[in-house]
């Protein structure tokens, strides 16, 4: 029976060694978990070797030394299991140096006590303890019971930690945690079986249980990749991101929330359920309808009304299925875009106001440009604008679209108020201004719609007639002169006569080389003839051909 039991312990030691080497080689990315698992396997393997020596029928001296040498392995196993349980339950946790130092105190002390037991007999006492003989007759001392209570206490803490981690894990990850939790219970089950003599010959079943624990955990951690996926991803990513993450089951109940989502839900609905996990997502969110979000994946904007505020959310929903295609629910990732949307609305309003201001400025600019081209008294075009319009009319009369016949010429009328100085001297400048305004109105009424009417300066007015030849221009001029001679047109508001007549000079050109200033000079010359011919008459310039030929020759 002894060799068979010893072979069981040897097999356990080999299994522990394999687990330790495998865990150590695969520690990249999961250093704390893999290292602590390797340490558990080393401790269990040490214990298995000692048990094998004792079960194999070694001499009293070897068995006695083995009984004391087992304690470094037990101390390492308990310490490593405590760290392993915490790292599995909390994926991003790593022990501090201070914690490791505190956990190492007891294993170091019990090892020292075991090494010096023949002197003080605190760990074992009885026949042969001083001479390291007859270990089967040794009795447990106080140090043994203190060590046993401490070890089982830490093992219990580790198991409770794993149980809490399993309980708090999201529903979709609980089966993963369960395999690790059940693995930690194997040593307990083995010891229970030993108590009821279900394992005959195995005086020390605990190392065998921990060997099985190490193997199962290694399979769960490395083959299923549980620790690398579930706890690390959740602890390092989900719990720490600022977005609201809520996992909702197919029936609309909350399976998991990250801290950001928990704070958001409670701020929007303080009267909601005390525990969000397992509660209705709609009731927890204050009546927020999530039924359409459970139907599929996609992005949607929603408005959530809380007890004291309204929040605009940007939600992304993703279906959650297992590797068999079973529907596990939906993951909702939300982001508060209230402030961003408000800023966008304010920016849009500001852009609208800016656009309105720009339109107003453009209207004012156009108005100012128009005012800059107008005579402030009469509202007619000023001299500069008249010359620009005359040049454009002359250029258009000879362009590609210019018509033939009379339409190819341009004429101007130079109109002057007769004896205007007498009006100012006799009735004042206000009366003179009134005469000028009345004449401006008459010119606008009598001249064609395409004519350019402006004040040339003082009491002189210039009229540009695009497409008009000399005869047509003279006819318009005669109409203006006749209308001005009529008393109603020249009377003031009180009925007193002001200016009676006007003198008009007419000039026209059909030459493509003609200059605007030469045409105006010709009309002014004709006006001079009219004023010296008795006033209240129209004079037509005889022609610009000779003057234009001389000007062209001079330019050449």
């Amino acid at each position: 029976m002894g060799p068979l039991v010893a072979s069981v312990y040897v097999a356990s030691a080999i299994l522990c060694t394999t687990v330790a080497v495998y865990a150590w080689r695969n520690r990249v990315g999961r250093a704390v978990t893999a290292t602590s698992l390797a340490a558990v396997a080393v401790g269990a393997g040490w214990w298995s070797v000692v048990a094998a020596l004792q079960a194999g029928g070694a001499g009293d001296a070897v068995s006695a030394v083995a009984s004391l040498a087992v304690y470094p392995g037990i101390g390492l196993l308990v310490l490593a299991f405590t760290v392993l349980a915490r790292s599995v339950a909390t994926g991003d946790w790593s022990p501090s140096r201070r914690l490791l130092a505190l956990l190492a105190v007891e294993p170091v002390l019990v090892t020292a006590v075991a090494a010096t037991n023949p002197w003080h007999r605190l760990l074992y006492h009885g026949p042969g303890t001083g001479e390291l003989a007859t270990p089967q007759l040794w009795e447990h001392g106080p140090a043994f019971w203190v060590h046993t209570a401490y070890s089982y206490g830490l093992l219990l803490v580790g198991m409770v930690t794993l149980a809490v981690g399993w309980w708090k894990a999201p529903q979709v990850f609980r089966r993963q945690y369960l395999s690790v939790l059940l693995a930690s219970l194997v040593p307990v089950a083995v010891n229970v079986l030993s108590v009821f003599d279900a394992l005959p010959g195995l005086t020390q079943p605990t190392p065998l249980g921990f060997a099985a624990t190490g193997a199962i955990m290694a399979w769960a951690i490395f083959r299923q990749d549980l620790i690398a996926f579930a706890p690390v991803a959740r602890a390092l990513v989900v719990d720490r991101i600022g977005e609201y993450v809520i996992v909702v089951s197919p029936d609309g109940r909350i399976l998991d929330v990250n801290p950001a989502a928990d704070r958001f839900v409670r701020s929007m609905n303080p009267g909601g359920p005390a525990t969000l996990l397992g509660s209705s997502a709609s009731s927890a969110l204050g009546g927020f309808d999530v039924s359409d979000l459970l139907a599929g994946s996609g992005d949607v904007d929603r408005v959530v009304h809380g007890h004291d505020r309204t929040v605009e959310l940007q939600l992304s929903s993703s279906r959650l299925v297992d590797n068999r295609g079973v529907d596990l629910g939906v993951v909702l990732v939300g982001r508060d875009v209230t402030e961003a949307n408000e800023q966008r609305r304010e920016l849009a309003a500001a852009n609208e106001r800016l656009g309105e201001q720009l339109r107003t400025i453009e209207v004012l600019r156009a108005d100012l440009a128009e005012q800059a081209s107008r005579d402030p008294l009469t509202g007619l075009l000023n001299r500069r604008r008249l010359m620009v319009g005359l040049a454009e009319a002359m250029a258009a009369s000879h362009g590609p679209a210019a018509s033939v016949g009379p339409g190819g010429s341009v004429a101007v009328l130079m109109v002057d108020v007769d004896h205007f100085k007498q009006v100012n001297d006799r009735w004042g400048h206000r009366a003179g201004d009134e005469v000028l305004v009345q004449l401006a109105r008459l010119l606008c009424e009598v001249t064609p719609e395409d004519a350019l009417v402006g004040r040339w300066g003082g009491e002189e007015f210039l009229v540009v007639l695009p497409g008009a030849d000399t005869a047509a221009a003279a006819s318009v001029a005669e109409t203006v002169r006749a209308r001005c001679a009529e008393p109603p047109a020249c009377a003031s508001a009180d009925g007193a006569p002001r200016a009676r007549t006007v003198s008009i000079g007419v000039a026209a050109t059909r030459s493509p080389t003609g200059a605007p200033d030469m045409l105006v000079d010709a009309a002014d010359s004709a006006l001079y003839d009219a004023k010296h011919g008795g006033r209240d008459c129209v004079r037509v310039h005889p022609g610009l051909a000779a003057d234009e030929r001389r000007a062209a020759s001079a330019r050449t």
Side-chain angles (χ1 to χ4, degrees), residues 121-132:
R121 298 179 177 86
L122 293 177
L123 193 61
Y124 293 105
H125 63 85
T129 52
E131 298 80 14
L132 295 179

Side-chain angles (χ1 to χ4, degrees), residues 203-268:
T203 57
Q204 300 186 59
T206 306
L208 301 179
F210 274 104
T213 296
I216 296 173
M217 285 190 173
W219 172 79
I221 293 172
F222 300 109
R223 300 301 296 175
Q224 291 186 340
D225 208 18
L226 304 185
I227 307 305
F229 170 66
V232 174
R234 192 184 189 289
L236 292 182
V237 180
V238 178
D239 282 356
R240 296 186 181 182
I241 63 176
E243 281 76 10
Y244 314 139
V245 180
I246 303 177
V247 181
V248 183
S249 66
D251 61 351
R253 297 191 174 276
I254 296 178
L255 297 179
D256 189 25
V257 292
N258 71 337
D262 185 84
R263 291 190 296 270
F264 170 74
V265 171
R266 298 191 185 284
S267 66
M268 297 298 293

Side-chain angles (χ1 to χ4, degrees), residues 172 175-176 224 226 229 320-328:
V172 292
R175 284 185 294 178
Q176 300 170 343
Q224 291 186 340
L226 304 185
F229 170 66
L320 190 64
V321 296
D322 62 9
N323 54 5
R324 294 175 298 173
V326 177
D327 187 11
L328 302 177

Side-chain angles (χ1 to χ4, degrees), residues 25-282:
R25 288 182 176 179
N26 292 273
R27 67 186 184 279
V28 178
R30 46 177 83 82
V32 175
T33 303
T35 303
S36 56
L37 177 59
V40 168
V42 170
W46 183 294
W47 197 348
S48 297
V49 170
V50 171
L53 291 175
Q54 293 175 332
D60 281 354
V62 175
S63 180
V65 172
S67 298
L68 297 174
V70 73
Y71 286 97
I74 296 176
L76 177 62
L77 186 153
V78 173
L79 183 155
F81 182 80
T82 305
V83 176
L84 175 64
R86 178 67 184 275
S87 66
V88 169
T90 309
D92 62 338
W93 176 82
S94 60
S96 64
R97 293 182 179 180
R98 181 180 179 183
L99 177 61
L100 291 177
L102 292 175
L103 290 175
V105 169
E106 196 276 340
V108 171
L109 288 178
V110 75
T111 300
V113 170
T116 58
N117 186 73
W119 304 335
H120 49 69
R121 298 179 177 86
L122 293 177
L123 193 61
Y124 293 105
H125 63 85
T129 52
E131 298 80 14
L132 295 179
T134 62
Q136 63 274 13
L137 300 178
W138 291 359
E139 297 181 2
H140 299 131
F144 174 84
W145 298 114
V146 171
H147 163 72
T148 302
Y150 174 81
S151 298
Y152 278 104
L154 276 188
L155 292 175
L156 180 61
V157 169
M159 294 177 183
V160 170
T161 302
L162 288 174
V164 172
W166 167 77
W167 180 257
K168 290 186 177 181
Q171 188 68 30
V172 292
F173 300 138
R174 282 194 173 184
R175 284 185 294 178
Q176 300 170 343
Y177 279 92
L178 185 59
S179 60
V180 178
L181 177 61
L182 293 178
S184 69
L185 297 177
V186 173
V188 177
V190 171
N191 277 276
V192 170
L193 293 175
S194 177
V195 169
F196 290 97
D197 295 328
L199 301 173
L202 295 179
T203 57
Q204 300 186 59
T206 306
L208 301 179
F210 274 104
T213 296
I216 296 173
M217 285 190 173
W219 172 79
I221 293 172
F222 300 109
R223 300 301 296 175
Q224 291 186 340
D225 208 18
L226 304 185
I227 307 305
F229 170 66
V232 174
R234 192 184 189 289
L236 292 182
V237 180
V238 178
D239 282 356
R240 296 186 181 182
I241 63 176
E243 281 76 10
Y244 314 139
V245 180
I246 303 177
V247 181
V248 183
S249 66
D251 61 351
R253 297 191 174 276
I254 296 178
L255 297 179
D256 189 25
V257 292
N258 71 337
D262 185 84
R263 291 190 296 270
F264 170 74
V265 171
R266 298 191 185 284
S267 66
M268 297 298 293
N269 186 20
T275 302
L276 295 182
L277 297 182
S279 63
S280 169
S282 178

Side-chain angles (χ1 to χ4, degrees), residues 399-424:
S403 61
V404 297
S409 63
V410 177
V412 296
L413 311 181
M414 184 69 77
V415 183
D416 182 83
V417 180
D418 296 332
H419 304 294
F420 182 71
K421 186 176 181 301
Q422 294 179 6
V423 176
N424 287 332

